[in-house]
Amino acid sequence: MSDKPLIQQQLANDLGSLVMEMPAANAIPFLKACWEVHCAEWHGLDRIRLDKYYLLLRRVLYFSFQFLARESWDEGYLEAYNDMMTEGPLSPTDRKKPDAIRYHLIEIYFEELEKILDDLRSKLEEPEDLDVPMEELSKPLSTLAEKANTKVLRTKAKAAIKAHQEEMAAMAEDSGDEDEEE
């Protein structure tokens, strides 16, 4: 029964959202412990459960961004989050961190961030008024792109950053076109 997809999806969502239920001061230590467990237990997973585990990683990342947004991108929390990610699952040099987790996080990082930003934009009268510290939020991937100990990691991180920048430029261009039509 517990291997049914809907149950697993709900469990991943419930576990990922725990960060939203605790005092803000406990969120980063909780996330750090969460990522430490993910990285430590990764190699013990069987292939059958990988998709479920990837979903859990996605939900943890999503709710991490949701937490940072709820805290208005507080510099202290953002710096602690970036340090936690670059010392944890997105460490550029720690060979004990599973590359599969790094690759997955690189692939979904901006996807999950954009979900949060889209939600925030929808609540604003003028979506352009959204003030988000994108450079700070991009730091874990920027660090990987510069300092990763393998070329594959550096290349994947650079490609994700470039794709996101191109997507943001296209969105800005599209919104500029809409303004001109009015």
Side-chain angles (χ1 to χ4, degrees), residues 10-57:
Q10 185 60 48
L11 179 60
N13 206 53
D14 291 347
L15 291 172
S17 68
L18 285 174
V19 73
M20 301 301 291
E21 305 301 322
M22 60 185 62
N26 296 345
I28 300 299
F30 170 80
L31 289 169
K32 181 178 182 179
C34 185
W35 287 116
E36 285 174 0
V37 170
H38 289 313
C39 291
E41 298 300 322
W42 181 258
H43 297 293
L45 292 175
D46 58 43
R47 293 186 316 177
I48 296 170
R49 290 179 175 74
L50 277 182
D51 287 343
K52 297 169 189 172
Y53 208 70
Y54 279 139
L55 176 62
L56 177 58
L57 299 180

Side-chain angles (χ1 to χ4, degrees), residues 9 22 24 49-50 52 78 94 100 110 118 132 167 180:
Q9 290 167 8
M22 60 185 62
R49 290 179 175 74
L50 277 182
K52 297 169 189 172
L78 193 50
D94 187 349
F110 289 116
D118 287 345
V132 179
E167 187 176 325
E180 288 174 13

Side-chain angles (χ1 to χ4, degrees), residues 16 22 29 31 49-50 64 74 83 99-100 136-137 140 148 153 163:
M22 60 185 62
L31 289 169
R49 290 179 175 74
L50 277 182
S64 299
D74 177 84
D83 289 345
D99 281 337
E136 279 298 307
L137 285 164
L153 271 175

Side-chain angles (χ1 to χ4, degrees), residues 110-124 127 130 167-168 171:
F110 289 116
E111 267 180 52
E112 297 306 310
L113 178 57
E114 275 306 312
K115 289 176 186 175
I116 299 299
L117 299 181
D118 287 345
D119 186 44
L120 293 173
R121 283 184 198 103
S122 72
K123 295 176 183 172
L124 295 173
L130 184 62
E167 187 176 325
M168 292 298 99
M171 282 177 55

Side-chain angles (χ1 to χ4, degrees), residues 132-171:
V132 179
M134 287 304 293
E135 189 172 329
E136 279 298 307
L137 285 164
S138 300
K139 265 192 180 172
L141 290 190
S142 298
T143 301
L144 268 181
E146 294 170 22
K147 299 179 181 178
N149 57 5
T150 68
K151 185 176 182 178
V152 172
L153 271 175
R154 287 190 306 271
T155 302
K156 285 182 178 292
K158 287 175 187 174
I161 292 168
K162 182 179 179 186
H164 184 257
Q165 289 170 338
E166 289 172 353
E167 187 176 325
M168 292 298 99
M171 282 177 55

